[in-house]
C-alpha cells in the first residue's frame, strides 16, 4: 500500500499543485462490455402497443380509462435513442411477459451481475496491463445491485483471484462517477495504490416495459475503470491523469424505485413478490428541466475551481440519457451548439445505460486527444446526483 511519503517534498507541490505526501492519480485502464443482442425502437413499440391494445379491450369492458400507445418516432425525437443492447432479449418482446428471462443460479454459481462486471473488469485489467493480484481494492458501484450481500464486489474479487478488500456502493446513474470519486480520493490520500471500480448495469431487469414513459429508455452495459497512483514525475502516454473529481446531490422523487426489503410487507401476502409499483418510475420532463439546469451549473462551478471554463475542455463525455438534454447543457455552458466530436453520443445505439454511459463515451472517444488536453467526464441521475471527473491527457 502507498504511504504518504515523499522524497521531493515542497518542490513536488510547486510542480504539480498536489500537497506533499499525496499521490497523483490516473485512469490506468478502462473496460467496456456490451451485450450482443439489441432491440430497436420499432420492435419495442410493436410489443408495447400489442400489449396496450389487449389491455385496453379489457379496460373498456371494465369501464376504465385506456393506456396510451407508444411511438417509435416520439422516442427518437424526444430522446435520440434508436436502439438499445440488452443482456437478455428473450422475453422482452413477448407481450405475455415483457421482461427478460434470466434463470436463477445456484448460490455456488457465479451470479449474473458478478459475471457481467467481471467481463468489463478483465478488459480494464488488460488495458492497464495489470494482473488481478496487483489490485488493492474493488468497488462495485451500480444503479441496481442484485442482492444486498454478500457484496457483488467480493464475488468479483474472488473470481478474479484478487487480494485486499471489496465493497458495493451505488448512486443511481452517477454510480460510476461516485465510485471514481471515492477511489480517486482513496488513492490520492495514500490509502490504496490501485482500485478497480466496476459498474455492471443490468437495468432492463428492473424496467417496466408496460410503462410508456420509461419502456424505451434503458439498455444494458458493464464498464470498469482502474484508478492508480502515479509518481509525481511520471507521464503515462495515452492515459488520463485524474485532476480532480466532484459529487453533488439533492433529494428528488423525479426518478425513483421503491423496490426493497420492505416492499413485500405492504402486500396482503408477504411471501408473494408483487412488482407492480416497485419498478423504475420517472417524471421525464421534470427531470429533464431540473437536471439540465443543475448539470450546467455543476460543470461551470467545478471547472471554475480550477480557473477553467467549459471552453477549455477539448471533450465532454456526458451522461447518456437524452441527446437534447446534453446539447442544452452544453449550449448553456458554452453559449453555442456543440458537435458530437466535442461531446460524443453513444445513446443513439445503446440507449441509456445508466451509470455506464459516460464511461462508454470516454472509452470510445479519447485516442485522438493530445497530451495536455482536458476533458470532463460527467454523469447525472437519480437522487438527484451529479458526478464529475476532470481528466488531463498525458
Ligand atoms: N410515445 C408517444 N408519446 C409519448 C410517449 C411515448 N413513449 N411518452 C410520452 N409521450 C407523450 C406524452 O404523453 C406527452 O403528450 P402530451 O403533450 O399530449 O401530454 C408528450 O409525448 C411529451 O411527453 P414528455 O414526457 O413531456 O416528453 P419529453 O419531451 O420530456 O421526453 C423523455 C420524455 C423521458 C425522453 C425526457 O423527458 C427525458 O429524457 N428526461 C430526462 C431523463 C434523464 O435524464 N434521466 C436522468 C438520468 S437516468
Amino acid at each position: 500500500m502507498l504511504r504518504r511519503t515523499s522524497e521531493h517534498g515542497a518542490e513536488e507541490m510547486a510542480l504539480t499543485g498536489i500537497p506533499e505526501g499525496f499521490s497523483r492519480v490516473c485512469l490506468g485502464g478502462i473496460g467496456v462490455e456490451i451485450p450482443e443482442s439489441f432491440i430497436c425502437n420499432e420492435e419495442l413499440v410493436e410489443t408495447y402497443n400489442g400489449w396496450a391494445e389487449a389491455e385496453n379491450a379489457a379496460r373498456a369492458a371494465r369501464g376504465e380509462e385506456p393506456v396510451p400507445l407508444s411511438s417509435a418516432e416520439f422516442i427518437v425525437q424526444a430522446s435520440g435513442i434508436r436502439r438499445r443492447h440488452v443482456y437478455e432479449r428473450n422475453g422482452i418482446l413477448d407481450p405475455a411477459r415483457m421482461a427478460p428471462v434470466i434463470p436463477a443460479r445456484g448460490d455456488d454459481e457465479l451470479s449474473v451481475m458478478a459475471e457481467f462486471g467481471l467481463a468489463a473488469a478483465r478488459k480494464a485489467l488488460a488495458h492497464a496491463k495489470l494482473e488481478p493480484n496487483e489490485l488493492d481494492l474493488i468497488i462495485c458501484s451500480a444503479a441496481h445491485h442484485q442482492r444486498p450481500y454478500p457484496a457483488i464486489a467480493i464475488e468479483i474479487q474472488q473470481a478474479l483471484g484478487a487480494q485486499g478488500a471489496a465493497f458495493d456502493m451505488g448512486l443511481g446513474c452517477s454510480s460510476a462517477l461516485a465510485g471514481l470519486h471515492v477511489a480517486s480520493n482513496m488513492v490520492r490520500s495514500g490509502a490504496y495504490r490501485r482500485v478497480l471500480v466496476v459498474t455492471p448495469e443490468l437495468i432492463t431487469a428492473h424496467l417496466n416495459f408496460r410503462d410508456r414513459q420509461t419502456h424505451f429508455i434503458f439498455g444494458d452495459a458493464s464498464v470498469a475503470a482502474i484508478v492508480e497512483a502515479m509518481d509525481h514525475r511520471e507521464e503515462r502516454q495515452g492515459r488520463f491523469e485524474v485532476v480532480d473529481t466532484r459529487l453533488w446531490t439533492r433529494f428528488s422523487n423525479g426518478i425513483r424505485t421503491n423496490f426493497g426489503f420492505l416492499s413485500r410487507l405492504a402486500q396482503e401476502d408477504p411471501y408473494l413478490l408483487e412488482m407492480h409499483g416497485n419498478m423504475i418510475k420517472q417524471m421525464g420532463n421534470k427531470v429533464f428541466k431540473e437536471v439540465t439546469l443543475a448539470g450546467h451549473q455543476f460543470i461551470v462551478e467545478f471547472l471554475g475551481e480550477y480557473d477553467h471554463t467549459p471552453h477549455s475542455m477539448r471533450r465532454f463525455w456526458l451522461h447518456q440519457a437524452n441527446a437534447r438534454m446534453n446539447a442544452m447543457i452544453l449550449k448553456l455552458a458554452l453559449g453555442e451548439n456543440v458537435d458530437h466530436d466535442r461531446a460524443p453520443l453513444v445513446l443513439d445505439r445503446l440507449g441509456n445505460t445508466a451509470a455506464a454511459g459516460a464511461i462508454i463515451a470516454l472509452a470510445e472517444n479519447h485516442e485522438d486527444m493530445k497530451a495536455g488536453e482536458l476533458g470532463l467526464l460527467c454523469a447525472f441521475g437519480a437522487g438527484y446526483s451529479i458526478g464529475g471527473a476532470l481528466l488531463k491527457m498525458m
Side-chain angles (χ1 to χ4, degrees), residues 236-272:
R236 296 198 194 178
Q237 212 185 351
R239 294 287 186 270
F240 286 107
E241 175 164 4
V242 181
V243 178
D244 202 0
T245 55
R246 268 303 165 281
L247 267 191
W248 172 94
T249 53
R250 284 291 174 281
F251 185 75
S252 162
N253 281 319
I255 315 163
R256 183 169 175 131
T257 167
N258 282 320
F259 182 64
F261 73 100
L262 290 180
S263 304
R264 72 186 185 114
L265 304 176
Q267 300 175 184
E268 206 173 322
D269 181 350
Y271 289 89
L272 246 186

Side-chain angles (χ1 to χ4, degrees), residues 246-318:
R246 268 303 165 281
L247 267 191
W248 172 94
T249 53
R250 284 291 174 281
F251 185 75
S252 162
N253 281 319
I255 315 163
R256 183 169 175 131
T257 167
N258 282 320
F259 182 64
F261 73 100
L262 290 180
S263 304
R264 72 186 185 114
L265 304 176
Q267 300 175 184
E268 206 173 322
D269 181 350
Y271 289 89
L272 246 186
L273 197 59
E274 170 56 71
M275 284 308 293
H276 197 75
N278 286 325
M279 288 175 277
I280 300 168
K281 299 187 283 191
Q282 178 174 260
M283 297 178 224
N285 203 266
K286 181 177 156 70
V287 174
F288 186 110
K289 289 177 188 152
E290 291 176 352
V291 174
T292 297
L293 290 176
H296 150 250
Q297 199 175 339
F298 174 93
I299 289 173
V300 171
E301 285 177 9
F302 178 29
L303 296 181
E305 286 178 41
Y306 282 85
D307 292 329
H308 289 304
T309 69
H311 291 277
S312 27
M313 296 301 108
R314 166 68 185 90
R315 198 155 274 152
F316 295 90
W317 305 279
L318 298 190

Side-chain angles (χ1 to χ4, degrees), residues 69-71 74-75 78-79 173 212-213 215-218 255 282 284-285 287-288 319 321-322 324-325 352 380-382:
L69 297 184
S70 188
S71 124
F74 168 85
I75 296 171
S79 68
C173 288
R212 183 177 78 145
Q213 273 269 2
H215 80 118
F216 60 87
I217 292 178
F218 294 102
I255 315 163
Q282 178 174 260
N285 203 266
V287 174
F288 186 110
H319 180 48
N322 187 305
R324 287 188 300 128
M325 194 171 166
N352 177 346
F380 22 88

Side-chain angles (χ1 to χ4, degrees), residues 68-363:
L69 297 184
S70 188
S71 124
E73 296 73 48
F74 168 85
I75 296 171
V76 180
Q77 212 175 39
S79 68
I81 297 167
R82 292 180 184 277
R83 68 185 213 196
R84 70 283 300 134
H85 283 243
V86 294
Y87 176 83
E88 178 56 71
R89 192 180 139 99
N90 182 25
I92 295 177
L93 298 177
D94 172 2
R97 181 177 172 91
M98 295 174 78
V101 178
I102 302 178
R105 295 186 181 181
D107 287 356
D108 293 331
E109 292 176 272
L110 189 64
S111 66
V112 168
M113 200 171 154
E115 186 179 85
F116 202 29
L118 261 176
R122 289 203 165 106
K123 287 181 182 174
L125 282 163
H127 187 218
K129 299 189 172 63
L130 288 174
E131 294 300 324
N133 62 11
E134 293 176 276
L135 297 171
D136 306 317
L137 179 71
I138 298 175
I139 302 173
C140 180
S141 190
H144 303 93
H145 287 279
Q146 183 174 344
R147 57 172 187 260
Y149 46 84
I152 302 295
I154 302 178
E155 198 180 353
I156 292 173
Q157 176 194 20
Q158 163 161 298
L160 282 174
Q163 305 301 309
F167 63 86
D168 290 350
M169 58 174 272
L171 192 64
C173 288
S174 307
S175 292
L177 263 300
L180 287 179
H181 181 62
V182 170
S184 299
N185 282 307
M186 281 175 148
V187 170
R188 202 179 294 291
S189 72
Y192 293 96
R193 188 167 182 82
R194 290 191 190 95
V195 182
L196 170 71
V197 180
V198 193
T199 302
E201 293 290 29
L202 204 59
I203 199 144
T204 58
H206 197 49
L207 190 53
N208 183 355
F209 285 98
R210 294 177 179 171
D211 172 28
R212 183 177 78 145
Q213 273 269 2
T214 52
H215 80 118
F216 60 87
I217 292 178
F218 294 102
D220 302 321
S222 177
V223 297
I226 294 172
V227 178
E228 283 191 81
M230 278 196 313
D231 184 76
H232 278 250
R233 286 181 168 69
E234 205 176 330
E235 290 302 329
R236 296 198 194 178
Q237 212 185 351
R239 294 287 186 270
F240 286 107
E241 175 164 4
V242 181
V243 178
D244 202 0
T245 55
R246 268 303 165 281
L247 267 191
W248 172 94
T249 53
R250 284 291 174 281
F251 185 75
S252 162
N253 281 319
I255 315 163
R256 183 169 175 131
T257 167
N258 282 320
F259 182 64
F261 73 100
L262 290 180
S263 304
R264 72 186 185 114
L265 304 176
Q267 300 175 184
E268 206 173 322
D269 181 350
Y271 289 89
L272 246 186
L273 197 59
E274 170 56 71
M275 284 308 293
H276 197 75
N278 286 325
M279 288 175 277
I280 300 168
K281 299 187 283 191
Q282 178 174 260
M283 297 178 224
N285 203 266
K286 181 177 156 70
V287 174
F288 186 110
K289 289 177 188 152
E290 291 176 352
V291 174
T292 297
L293 290 176
H296 150 250
Q297 199 175 339
F298 174 93
I299 289 173
V300 171
E301 285 177 9
F302 178 29
L303 296 181
E305 286 178 41
Y306 282 85
D307 292 329
H308 289 304
T309 69
H311 291 277
S312 27
M313 296 301 108
R314 166 68 185 90
R315 198 155 274 152
F316 295 90
W317 305 279
L318 298 190
H319 180 48
Q320 301 286 312
N322 187 305
R324 287 188 300 128
M325 194 171 166
N326 287 6
M328 219 173 270
I329 289 175
L330 293 176
K331 180 142 194 196
L332 284 170
L334 290 146
E336 62 195 19
N337 289 324
V338 169
D339 63 18
H340 292 164
D341 174 62
R342 192 95 179 270
L345 269 193
V346 300
L347 65 86
D348 51 341
R349 61 176 220 276
L350 298 178
N352 177 346
T353 49
I359 307 285
I360 300 171
L362 169 71

